[in-house]
Amino acid sequence: MRITPRTHEVQRVVDILEDPTFEGPEQLAKAVIKEVAEIVQMRDLVVLVHTWAGGSKGLNMGPFGSIAEAEAFAKKMSFGGTGRPVPITSSGVLLANHDGKTSWPGYCYEEGCGHAPWTHAIEGASRGKCHLETCSCSKFRKDDPNRKKPAKKAASKGTGKSINEL
């Protein structure tokens, strides 16, 4: 399965690798494996559904990272029969929509919420309180409050001289 790492995913693994509290390489490796598994679980993936030429159920294979990857695999393997890629929604995404996914991009960063944007009411051009009865979130928080935004570079001021004077 081919996975193109996303910036926030890379940062999660880097944070683990730079954490000095791990007592040994085994503990560090376990933490990295668990984090990567959670990252993969938050991806919508694709499976290849196969039917033999006689019409009987075939070999269902996957997951694949994209439809193109599933189709390329099917052409390379030449099993016979027919196959088609089927997108599947990950269990991690479904659970995150229901239970909340704290500190995950796209989900609410309000403490105690972590739900998807569509679970929040629309208030003008933004999102308001969470509709889930078990959540007390009053406003959708899009950005991680713990991450500082990069400072904008101030526009350089000219020397006041014309181009001919320089």
Side-chain angles (χ1 to χ4, degrees):
M1 179 170 62
R2 293 185 192 125
I3 295 179
T4 303
R6 298 170 182 156
T7 305
H8 68 276
E9 296 168 343
V10 171
Q11 187 58 51
R12 285 176 166 272
V13 174
V14 167
D15 291 344
I16 292 171
L17 295 173
E18 291 178 343
D19 187 343
T21 62
F22 290 104
E23 295 176 4
E26 292 84 10
Q27 193 181 33
L28 178 63
K30 286 179 183 179
V32 168
I33 290 168
K34 286 180 180 181
E35 186 63 37
V36 170
E38 185 176 333
I39 288 168
V40 171
Q41 189 181 25
M42 288 298 290
R43 297 269 183 122
D44 286 336
L45 301 171
V46 176
V47 293
L48 186 63
V49 179
H50 174 256
T51 305
W52 293 110
S56 62
K57 292 181 183 178
L59 308 167
N60 298 328
M61 295 153 272
F64 298 96
S66 67
I67 290 176
E69 183 184 354
E71 289 172 343
F73 174 83
K75 287 177 185 171
K76 184 184 275 187
M77 296 307 292
S78 305
F79 289 114
T82 59
R84 69 169 213 212
V86 177
I88 57 173
T89 299
S90 77
S91 57
V93 170
L94 293 173
L95 284 171
N97 289 341
H98 182 268
D99 298 338
K101 183 76 172 170
T102 57
S103 72
W104 194 265
Y107 290 81
C108 184
Y109 279 96
E110 186 63 36
E111 190 173 336
C113 184
H115 294 109
W118 56 265
T119 65
H120 292 74
I122 296 175
E123 292 181 355
S126 63
R127 299 225 174 235
K129 73 178 198 116
C130 191
H131 283 302
L132 299 177
E133 292 179 14
T134 57
C135 188
S136 61
C137 174
S138 61
K139 180 140 180 81
F140 181 78
R141 186 182 290 200
K142 179 181 177 182
D143 299 313
D144 184 353
N146 299 322
R147 300 246 179 212
K148 293 181 180 177
K149 293 182 181 177
K152 291 184 179 179
K153 197 173 183 180
S156 62
K157 295 183 180 180
T159 60
K161 298 180 180 180
S162 71
I163 294 175
N164 295 333
E165 295 176 56
L166 297 175

